[in-house]
C-alpha cells in the first residue's frame, strides 16, 4: 500500500523543511510547495491526502489558497499561523480549514493532528451511502449536495460531515464525544465546544431565517439528536 501523501505549502524554507521531515519520519510521502500558486499546481497535478498550509505568504496568502483548494477538493487542510487569537481560528474553520496549529508548534502535536486528519478522511462513510432524503432534507453524498426545505445549501467540509453523521444516526442521541469521533476523527486537541460551535453554524446554514426550526435537537446533558419529520 502506498503511504499517505501530504502537501506542505509554506514560503519559509526552514519551516517547510521541518514539517516535511516530521511527516516523512511518521511514514508519509511529502511534496513541498514554496507558495500558494505552486501548491495549487501540485494539488492539480497529484491530489494529496492532507494539506499543511501556512497563512502568511506573499501574493496568494493562506486564506486565498484555502478558498481555491475548497473549490477543487475536500482534502483535509491543517492551517499553520503565527496568530493564536480565537477570531483567527474561527475564521480559518469557517473558511473550510479542518484544523489549526499556532507557531511555534510542538512537533509531536503537529504529527498527531495530521494523523488525526488522515484517519478522519479514511473513515468518512459518505461514499457508502449514495443519498438521503426525508420530508425537509436531501443529501447527494457523491456530489456533496444538500437541500433543505427546497433550498440548496452550501456547506463547508466539516459542516457536511456533521450533517452526514446526524442523518446516518437518525433519532439517536449523539454525545459530543461521539460527534468528535465521527466528524473530527479524533478528540485530540479538540474541545467539546467545537461541536456546539459547528452545530450552531449548521443550523444557521440550513435555515438562516429560523435556525431553531432545524430538526437538530439539543439534548441537555447528553448531546444532540437529528429528528427527521
Amino acid at each position: 500500500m502506498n503511504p499517505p501523501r501530504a502537501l506542505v505549502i509554506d514560503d519559509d524554507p526552514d519551516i517547510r523543511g521541518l514539517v516535511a521531515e516530521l511527516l516523512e519520519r511518521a511514514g508519509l510521502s511529502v511534496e513541498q510547495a514554496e507558495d500558494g500558486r505552486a501548491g495549487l499546481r501540485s494539488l492539480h497535478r497529484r491530489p494529496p491526502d492532507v494539506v499543511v498550509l501556512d497563512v502568511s505568504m506573499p501574493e496568494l496568502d493562506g486564506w486565498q489558497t484555502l478558498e481555491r483548494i475548497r473549490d477543487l477538493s475536500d482534502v483535509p487542510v491543517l492551517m499553520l499561523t503565527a496568530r493564536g487569537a480565537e477570531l483567527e481560528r474561527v475564521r480559518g474553520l469557517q473558511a473550510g480549514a479542518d484544523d489549526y496549529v499556532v507557531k511555534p508548534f510542538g512537533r509531536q502535536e503537529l504529527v498527531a493532528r495530521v494523523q488525526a486528519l488522515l484517519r478522519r478522511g479514511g473513515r468518512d462513510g459518505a461514499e457508502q451511502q449514495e443519498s438521503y432524503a426525508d420530508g425537509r432534507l436531501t443529501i447527494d453524498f457523491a456530489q456533496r449536495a444538500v437541500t433543505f426545505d427546497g433550498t440548496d445549501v452550501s456547506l463547508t467540509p466539516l459542516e457536511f460531515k456533521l450533517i452526514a453523521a446526524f442523518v446516518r444516526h437518525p433519532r439517536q442521541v449523539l454525545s459530543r464525544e461521539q460527534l468528535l469521533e465521527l466528524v473530527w476523527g479524533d478528540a485530540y486537541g479538540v474541545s467539546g465546544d467545537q461541536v456546539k460551535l459547528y452545530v450552531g453554524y449548521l443550523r444557521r446554514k440550513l435555515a438562516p431565517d429560523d435556525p431553531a426550526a432545524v430538526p437538530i435537537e439539543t439534548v441537555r446533558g447528553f448531546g444532540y439528536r437529528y429528528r427527521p419529520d
Side-chain angles (χ1 to χ4, degrees), residues 62-178:
W63 304 120
Q64 295 166 313
T65 304
L66 176 61
E67 182 179 0
R68 286 161 173 77
I69 289 174
R70 282 293 166 252
D71 288 338
L72 301 167
S73 171
D74 286 334
V75 62
V77 177
L78 173 73
M79 302 290 285
L80 291 178
T81 179
R83 305 190 193 106
E86 181 180 0
L87 287 177
E88 191 82 356
R89 293 196 300 272
V90 169
R91 178 185 178 187
L93 295 170
Q94 287 182 322
D98 296 87
D99 205 351
Y100 201 97
V101 171
V102 178
K103 301 175 187 176
F105 49 81
R107 299 185 179 195
Q108 291 182 341
E109 178 188 5
L110 176 74
V111 172
R113 287 181 180 272
V114 169
Q115 289 173 333
L117 290 180
L118 289 169
R119 286 195 297 273
R120 182 197 311 170
R123 276 207 300 267
D124 185 6
E127 65 275 8
Q128 301 172 8
Q129 181 179 358
E130 292 183 1
S131 63
Y132 170 87
D134 59 40
R136 305 183 69 186
L137 176 70
T138 62
I139 301 176
D140 182 331
F141 287 98
Q143 299 297 322
R144 301 285 174 133
V146 177
T147 302
F148 187 75
D149 285 347
T151 301
D152 292 338
V153 181
S154 177
L155 299 179
T156 67
L158 267 176
E159 291 164 350
F160 184 87
K161 289 176 182 178
L162 182 57
I163 193 61
F166 279 128
V167 302
R168 287 198 290 267
H169 302 83
R171 299 183 176 85
Q172 177 182 337
V173 177
L174 298 173
S175 68
R176 291 185 178 185
E177 290 72 24
Q178 286 175 300

Side-chain angles (χ1 to χ4, degrees), residues 189-224:
V190 183
S191 72
D193 290 339
Q194 196 89 317
V195 176
K196 181 179 180 181
L197 185 70
Y198 267 85
V199 169
Y201 290 157
L202 184 57
R203 285 170 171 157
R204 290 192 293 274
K205 285 285 190 72
L206 294 174
D209 296 330
D210 189 10
V214 173
I216 299 174
E217 299 179 349
T218 300
V219 183
R220 294 193 180 279
F222 292 94
Y224 300 92

